[in-house]
Each structure stands twice: as C-alpha cells, then as structure tokens.
Amino acid sequence: MTKGSGLKATAWALGLAPLFWTSVRFFMDDLGANPIEALLHWAGRWALILLLVGLAITPIRRLTGWNQVIKVRRTVGLFAFFYVTLHFLIYLGLDQGFAWSFIIEDVLDRPFITSGFLGLVLLVPLAVTSTKGWIRRLGRRWQQLHRLVYPAAGLGVLHFYWKVKADTFWPLVALAILLGLLLARSPWRALKKASS
Amino acid sequence: MLIRKPGKISESEVTPYELYLNRRRFIGRAGRIALLGAIAPSSLAAGDLVPGEAEAATLGPQEDELTPYEDVTTYNNFYEFGTGKADPARNAGTLKPKPWTVEIGGHCERPGDYGIEDIIGRFPAEERIYRLRCVEAWSMVIPWMGFPLKDLLEFVQPTSRAEYVEFTTLYDPDQMPGQRRRVLDWPYVEGLRMDEAMNPLTLMATGLYGKELPNQNGAPLRLVVPWKYGFKSIKSIVRIRLVEDIPATSWNLATPNEYGFFANVNPEVDHPRWSQARERRLGEIRRRPTLMFNGYAEEVASMYDGMDLRRWY
C-alpha cells in the first residue's frame, strides 16, 4: 500500500456512501411521499457539500501542514461534479419529464434555476481538465482555469438560497462556510506576495 | 354532490370507460371509509366527529385517486413544527388539541370563546374529497371530514361591517417548537374575503380519512379552501375574527411579491421562481397540468369576475 492510499479510499467511501445509502432507501421505498423531490434535493445537497469539502482541502493543508490531504482533492472534486450532474439529470428527467419548453423557460427566465445551471456549466471544463495529461498541457493556466470553482460554488450557494421559501438557515450556513474558506486562503496569498 | 365537474377538460383527460368503472369502485370505497369513520369507535372519542349525513363527494372526470393516508400525514408544510416536510409528523406530538378553545370575535352578533367540543357537536361533520394544490407545485387528494365555514359564520351572524374573515393559528412555542425560530412572523395568520368564506366549498376540517385530524395536519380545527394554494388553508386555529380591512396574512407579509392575499390556483400566473402550469400529484411520476382554480372554476370563478388575476395573485 502506497502512502496516502488509505486517504484515497476514505475519499471514495465519502463520495460513494450517499449513493449507496440512498439506493438502499430507494429500493426500500423509504424516500417519503415525494421521492422525486427527495432525490433531487439529496443530489443537490451532496454536490454542494462535496464542493465545499473540496475547497476546504487547501486551507486544511496550509493550516495543519498535513500535505498528504492534497491527494484527495481531485477525487472529492470529481465526486462533487458527479452529484451536480446527477442533480441536473434528475431535474431534467424525473422532475421535469424532459419537457424542454418548461426547462428552457426555467433556465432562461428564473434566476433560481439559471444560477444552478451556470454553476454546472462552470464545472464542466474543470472536470474535463482534471486528468494528469491536461494538467501538464495547461501548465500555469490550469490553476487559473480551476479558480472557476469559486464562482461555481458561489452560484451553488445562491441557487440553494433562492430555492428555500422562508427558512434560509442552511443556505446561510453554506454561505458562511464558503466565505470562511475564501478568507482562509487569502492571507496566504497576501503573505506570498509580500515575501516575494 | 359537492364537487362537480371541473370546467374545460381536454380530450386527453377524458377518462376511459375502464378507469371510470374503477373510479366508481373508488367512490364506493370512499363511501365505506366515511361510514367506517362514523362507526369505528377505535379512532374516535365519544361525541367527536359523528358525521351526520356523511356523504362521499365525487370527483370530476379527471383521474383523481385518494392520496394514501400515510402520505397525507407524513408530508406536510406546517412550519410551527419545522420546515422539512417530514418534521411535522415527527414533532407535532407536543401539540395538545384537547382542550381547545376558539375565540370568535370582531363584527358579529355572537362573539365568544367556543370549545372545540361545542363546535364539533353543533356542526355535524360530512366527508369532502378535495384536491389540495400546494404553491410548491405538488398536490394530493384528501378525504376531509368537516363542516362548511358558512354554517359557523351564519351561527355567529356577521354584521354588515364584516368584509373579511381573519384566522389565527395557536402561538405557543412549547407546543409548537418551530415557533422558537422566527422563520415567519408568528402567529400564522390567514384570511378570506367574506364571499370566499361563505362559498359552500370552504370547509372547516376536523378530520381526514374518517379519523380525527392528526396534529401534523392541523388538529383540532383547520381551514380547507380547495381552489387556493395550500398555505391559505390555515391549521390549528385559535381565533376567527370578522373584520373590515383585508387581513395581513403571514406569507404575504414574508414575501409579498411571491404570495398574494388571494392565492387562487392559477396555471397562467407563475410563482416568480417556478412555473405553476404543472404539478406533481404525489404518487405519480409525470407532472400533470394544473387546472384553473384547481378544477373548481365552476363553483368559484364568478367571485373573481372582472378581477385581473395577474395583479391579484
């Protein structure tokens, strides 16, 4: 076993556990009176959680000096993209029944849907360029490109905030975590600049 | 016959004969359920909910099936017990629907505090099967037990100054733990225009599926206005006032551009954040088209003649 493989396995377990558990509940008919809505919300929730976990990895490494943790960043990021995609497919198929006129109207006219859709669009190039080959080919520009994850996460939080009717508690928790993670990295950038 | 044919039915919605037969069976079953409610002592305390002339209302030609009791009682918007759909069923055990007093006041001849037993005893319960359309674009079909609000209002005799009816839910954070967080401006308030309140479809519900109203569904007394979005059908009512001015209602205060006072089900007027043209009937996969006034246009549309429903959403 190579160093860090236990960590990788943990990341895979974290990514797959929700899928496994929800599949069990689905087949046991344990998703409540509105299983389509339950699945839609479940996938969206895990997309956002894993996006925030992915964004937390660099701050964790810097704060704790635990360098190994960086090895799971790609895995976590790709799982986040997996749940975003699943969320979108559930919306298109199960929720909207592929009624394209309604879907297009939603995406174009309703900021609540537009924000989520834009977040997804921003994540696509990041998922595509997540391979070693692309990292090599893009060089410095890879890092610049992957900063798109910040606006994507911001749009995800906004989408979540616009989804709720009155109870904004969890969207605000997500926002606080996102802002916290952004603040956690800016001092390092400032320090680096100052020392160079 | 309480629910007549909803107006304008497209060709595709006309029920095939076989389904029609099924529905006749279903209506028969519903009738039996109503009867069961009347005679089964297990679920009913003595004197409660004795349906005088329990009559199973029929549904229109659209294919409507009763939403299972389990779904009706575990998927609720009742923020006084939490904002998740499953929260009310989990948390509503703290509500004590007995004893219960409803304060009736304002512009009427017989104001006073009425005990829930008095109310239930005075107005015999009948069964009404209604569609319930939530503003969130899902719907159910529920066999309510209750009496027309009209009967109660005629009993308390509104004066000529009464233009609106204002309803208030219990405020007691010990019984309703969701009220500890100010998600809405507690207590919950709803209202109807007098003609809406007097419409024969408007029901004060005391039970469902022939049983007493479960706490999470608004025990012991709630409003049911089937042509309006569900949030108008206020639960666990402690006060009814006859007033001159339009009541300030909770969701309208919270987000006025999204929730109007009237809140009539209208597939042509979208919620700012989602379409109201279709709905998911719980238990179904594909969305179905939403009907004008939730399919009760024939009974209620005339009350809104000449009103711009886009403005008065």
Side-chain angles (χ1 to χ4, degrees), chain B residues 102-112 114 149-168 189-198 237-247:
Chain B
V102 182
E103 177 200 329
I104 305 180
H107 300 301
C108 66
E109 302 292 351
R110 300 173 82 168
Y114 294 88
L149 174 60
K150 185 171 179 284
D151 293 354
L152 177 74
L153 293 178
E154 278 167 0
F155 174 76
V156 299
Q157 296 169 28
T159 67
S160 59
R161 290 172 74 189
E163 303 272 353
Y164 294 91
V165 187
E166 181 192 89
F167 305 86
T168 308
V189 172
E190 259 308 333
L192 294 173
R193 213 169 58 187
M194 190 55 82
D195 59 337
E196 299 175 324
M198 295 296 284
I237 296 167
V238 292
R239 190 161 69 227
I240 300 173
R241 283 173 53 78
L242 292 127
V243 294
E244 264 177 275
D245 299 319
I246 189 162

Side-chain angles (χ1 to χ4, degrees), chain A residues 42-182:
Chain A
W42 159 80
R45 198 158 52 237
W46 278 99
L48 199 52
I49 290 171
L50 291 173
L51 262 180
L52 293 175
V53 170
L55 282 173
I57 285 171
T58 298
I60 287 172
R61 183 171 73 128
R62 282 164 174 168
L63 286 167
T64 64
W66 183 27
N67 287 325
Q68 295 296 319
V69 74
I70 201 74
K71 289 185 174 165
V72 297
R73 192 171 62 172
R74 175 165 64 188
T75 312
V76 173
L78 283 171
F79 267 117
F81 182 70
F82 168 74
Y83 283 100
V84 171
T85 309
L86 199 57
H87 178 61
F88 186 57
L89 291 175
I90 293 168
Y91 162 76
L92 290 181
L94 289 176
D95 187 51
Q96 295 295 322
F98 298 112
W100 296 107
S101 62
F102 283 98
I103 291 163
I104 290 165
E105 191 185 298
D106 262 2
V107 170
L108 296 182
D109 295 349
R110 300 202 169 90
F112 155 50
I113 303 290
T114 314
S115 56
F117 182 76
L118 278 180
L120 164 70
V121 168
L122 292 185
L123 288 176
V124 171
L126 309 197
V128 170
T129 59
S130 64
T131 59
K132 282 208 173 90
W134 272 105
I135 295 171
R136 209 178 322 108
R137 247 170 291 169
L138 288 171
R140 273 180 74 91
R141 281 175 302 154
W142 187 88
Q143 202 145 22
Q144 287 168 354
L145 177 70
H146 278 247
R147 294 215 175 104
L148 281 177
V149 72
Y150 304 115
L155 285 162
V157 170
L158 191 64
H159 174 64
F160 185 26
Y161 182 83
W162 273 331
K163 187 248 158 279
V164 299
K165 280 201 306 181
D167 187 357
T168 52
F169 179 76
W170 287 110
L172 291 179
V173 168
L175 179 67
I177 292 171
L178 178 63
L179 291 178
L181 292 174
L182 291 179

Side-chain angles (χ1 to χ4, degrees), chain B residues 101-127:
Chain B
T101 306
V102 182
E103 177 200 329
I104 305 180
H107 300 301
C108 66
E109 302 292 351
R110 300 173 82 168
D113 292 346
Y114 294 88
I116 189 68
E117 300 81 13
D118 295 347
I119 294 173
I120 286 171
R122 192 177 296 278
F123 307 104
E126 53 189 82
E127 178 165 80

